[in-house]
Amino acid sequence: MEVFRRASGIHSPRQVTEDYSPPMQPLLKDQSLLKTQAYAAGHWCDARSGKVLEVRDPADGQLLGSVPSLCAEEVEEAILAAHRAMALWKKEPAGFRSKILRRWFDLIIEHTDDLAAILTAEQGKPLAEARGEISYAGSFVEWFAAEANRIDGEIISAPSADRRILVLKEPVGVCAAITPWNFPSAMVTRKVAPALAAGCAILVKPASRTPLSPLALAILALRAGLPEGLFSIITGEASVIGSAFTKSPEVRKLSFTGSTEIGKSLIRDCAGTVKRVTMELGGNAPFIVFADADLEAAIEGVMTSKFRGSGQTCICPNRILVDARVEERFTELLATAIRKLSVGPGTMQGVMQGPLIDHSALKHVENLIDDAVTKGAKVLVGGKRHPLGGTFFEPTLLTGCTPFMQLARCEIFGPIAPIFTFKNEEEAIILANATEYGLAGYFYSRDLARVWRVAEALECGMVGVNTGFISNAASPFGGIKESGYGREGSHHGLNDYLALKYLCVAGLGS
């Protein structure tokens, strides 16, 4: 196997500073976690056609390995196997399902270092950040292991004495999930854990750029005792697999994390079989700094939320809205913080920002900066490709930004912090809501009355008040408007995998 002969020190950059020497290249503690076959219909397999998709290190473009590109027929076979496996799984006591999920969680935490090394190799984020994602991924398994025991129905007061009305919660059916490359581990567990807790089977189509992390998670799920065929990792072309998922009458729910454009297409395709869908789509998060804010805390919030994953997350602040009265001071503090960010391959010690995922992402960021500068923005920090080459880009701070620039209207998905200004609270809210997206929003203020006014006025599904970190397993993650619908995490996320059945029992009179 070619993959991971370089193991957790995967990178060998083409262009690094002259005094850089690559770190030691230790092998994974558990080499079996590296798998380049799909797991479908209860077995590890290659594509019958022999077709494969290459997986490359975004830091240097080197080939890490390849995974099978399954055809529609192979996907359909996996769906039928999932249907068979679910027939038994949904009958198991909740406590049984809970124990298996708990064992899966324990194995994820036990193998954190190896899972983080795999994640860094294919996604590029720094190892410290990758370890954080593995912990985050595990938290969903732990949470839903406990929630499996809390799937309760209810008894409703009946309209007559001889009747009883009961409501049961049952698994919705075979589920399918399509996950993104920016969180290749956490987005799998956030969808798979509640499905399994509810008694469903689930098939996951991971992002083609980052399939190795999901495959490693599947290995650990099997070790935890998950029945064969219940959880599949289907690798291949998105159009082929997505079409098979949406057309199949056996798939009763689809969960998707990705762009709004693709989400709309999937919604249309799911209409043919009236599937339940959960859509976590694009974002354009405002980050508002009022004049009464703790500016140092706000800087910390920006750095935490904006530059995680090189700015390639859906809830990154896209527009930093600052009260004109504190703009100068805030900008000075932010420029100082951004200049301290170290950029490099994820395996280098002390690196805070890795590469962008590919050259198209790099070009997208460059185009946004060019457009902003043409329309009057000033580059205060960064603004160009990093001397390391490849897909590395400098952390960037832009001032003088306006709503007429492209970066104000689309997801930046890169390490650009654009500063906009406002004169009062009313204008800040208008600017913040001037988007078709409604995923996340942030604001900083020490005025308690303002906290409630602004939190309620922001048109988004999640609001961070005096914090830039809002994601956790206990909270309902999701948006409104064109950022999608449905929630992941929390008990609300479990309900999205359950169907209600109403029983009316009559003839109980004396």
Side-chain angles (χ1 to χ4, degrees):
M1 182 190 300
E2 179 182 349
V3 180
F4 268 69
R5 287 179 182 158
R6 292 175 287 160
S8 72
I10 311 114
H11 303 282
S12 177
R14 293 170 296 182
Q15 299 181 47
V16 190
T17 54
E18 292 181 3
D19 60 348
Y20 169 71
S21 58
M24 296 297 291
Q25 311 289 317
L27 297 177
L28 292 176
K29 298 173 187 175
D30 186 347
Q31 284 289 328
S32 67
L33 290 179
L34 250 296
K35 202 76 175 178
T36 55
Q37 290 179 301
Y39 184 70
H43 62 277
W44 297 99
C45 62
D46 297 313
R48 293 177 194 142
S49 65
K51 292 182 179 179
V52 297
L53 298 175
E54 292 182 344
V55 183
R56 293 186 177 274
D57 183 338
D60 58 20
Q62 292 194 34
L63 182 68
L64 296 172
S66 58
V67 295
S69 183
L70 302 186
C71 68
E73 182 181 352
E74 290 166 303
V75 179
E76 290 164 7
E77 291 172 2
I79 292 171
L80 292 176
H83 183 72
R84 293 191 296 270
M86 181 181 160
L88 298 175
W89 178 251
K90 68 180 182 179
K91 294 179 181 179
E92 295 287 0
F96 177 81
R97 298 196 298 268
S98 176
K99 287 178 181 177
I100 289 182
L101 285 170
R102 180 69 203 195
R103 284 200 292 268
W104 188 23
F105 163 73
D106 290 337
L107 288 170
I108 289 171
I109 299 306
E110 179 184 337
H111 293 85
T112 292
D113 288 345
D114 283 351
L115 293 173
I118 295 170
L119 198 162
T120 292
E122 61 179 353
Q123 202 277 340
K125 64 181 61 177
L127 270 173
E129 198 172 310
R131 291 189 186 98
E133 180 177 339
I134 300 306
S135 176
Y136 181 47
S139 71
F140 288 104
V141 182
E142 181 183 34
W143 174 267
F144 287 110
E147 286 296 296
N149 290 306
R150 303 189 184 105
I151 301 174
D152 300 320
E154 60 182 317
I155 298 176
I156 298 174
S157 296
S160 60
D162 67 335
R163 297 186 176 219
R164 300 294 183 271
I165 296 175
L166 297 84
V167 178
L168 307 181
K169 292 183 179 180
E170 298 182 336
V172 70
V174 174
C175 302
I178 301 174
T179 59
W181 51 262
N182 56 346
F183 287 92
S185 294
M187 296 304 97
V188 170
T189 58
R190 196 163 79 180
K191 299 175 190 297
V192 172
L196 296 177
C200 301
I202 185 165
L203 306 98
V204 175
K205 192 278 174 205
S208 297
R209 295 184 184 96
T210 55
L212 303 179
S213 294
L215 289 167
L217 289 172
I219 291 170
L220 296 179
L222 292 172
R223 289 183 190 174
L226 204 67
E228 294 180 350
L230 194 69
F231 168 30
S232 293
I233 300 291
I234 310 295
T235 59
E237 296 290 343
S239 59
V240 173
I241 297 173
S243 178
F245 284 169
T246 58
K247 289 179 180 178
S248 172
E250 300 294 344
V251 173
R252 298 311 314 148
K253 172 182 170 67
L254 175 69
S255 178
F256 171 71
T257 298
S259 73
T260 296
E261 180 183 5
I262 295 176
K264 290 178 179 179
S265 176
L266 289 170
I267 292 169
R268 287 191 292 267
D269 292 344
C270 285
T273 50
V274 196
K275 299 186 196 306
R276 183 182 298 189
V277 294
T278 296
M279 293 282 147
E280 196 262 281
L281 308 177
N284 188 358
F287 189 106
I288 309 172
V289 182
F290 289 102
D292 66 316
D294 180 335
L295 294 188
E296 292 186 356
I299 293 298
E300 182 180 349
V302 171
M303 299 304 294
T304 297
S305 54
K306 172 71 247 188
F307 293 97
R308 183 170 67 250
S310 300
Q312 299 173 118
T313 81
C314 57
I315 59 172
C316 275
N318 223 54
R319 298 163 294 147
I320 302 174
L321 310 174
V322 184
D323 190 303
R325 291 170 290 178
V326 296
E327 180 206 6
E328 184 176 352
R329 178 58 180 156
F330 179 84
T331 302
E332 289 175 356
L333 292 171
L334 184 55
T336 299
I338 291 174
R339 290 188 181 105
K340 292 179 181 178
L341 288 174
S342 58
V343 179
T347 50
M348 284 181 62
Q349 187 173 3
V351 162
M352 301 174 185
Q353 179 183 300
L356 297 180
I357 191 64
D358 58 23
H359 284 279
S360 64
L362 188 74
K363 189 62 179 174
H364 170 68
V365 167
E366 287 183 319
N367 289 341
L368 291 179
I369 293 175
D370 289 344
D371 173 77
V373 170
T374 299
K375 295 175 181 176
K378 304 294 183 183
V379 177
L380 191 60
V381 181
K384 59 185 183 299
R385 298 188 183 197
H386 196 278
L388 289 174
T391 60
F392 291 97
F393 199 85
E394 293 177 342
T396 298
L397 176 60
L398 299 179
T399 60
C401 296
T402 71
F404 303 102
M405 297 171 182
Q406 290 181 17
L407 53 69
R409 301 192 300 272
C410 69
E411 278 193 294
I412 293 174
F413 245 61
I416 304 174
I419 302 292
F420 303 74
T421 60
F422 62 87
K423 295 178 181 178
N424 53 49
E425 181 181 310
E426 181 182 11
E427 184 183 10
I429 292 170
I430 290 172
L431 289 171
N433 291 338
T435 173
E436 68 270 30
Y437 298 106
L439 187 56
Y442 308 85
F443 71 92
Y444 277 70
S445 173
R446 288 181 281 200
D447 182 330
L448 184 59
R450 170 176 282 154
V451 164
W452 284 108
R453 285 196 307 269
V454 176
E456 293 174 356
L458 288 179
E459 296 173 353
C460 51
M462 300 174 287
V463 179
V465 183
N466 294 325
T467 180
F469 189 79
I470 60 174
S471 300
N472 59 78
S475 303
F477 191 103
I480 60 174
K481 297 162 66 171
E482 292 195 21
S483 288
Y485 44 78
R487 292 297 182 267
E488 294 183 325
S490 79
H491 67 276
H492 298 287
L494 183 60
N495 286 335
D496 275 1
Y497 290 88
L498 295 167
L500 298 182
K501 178 180 285 185
Y502 149 53
L503 304 183
C504 181
V505 183
L508 301 179
S510 57

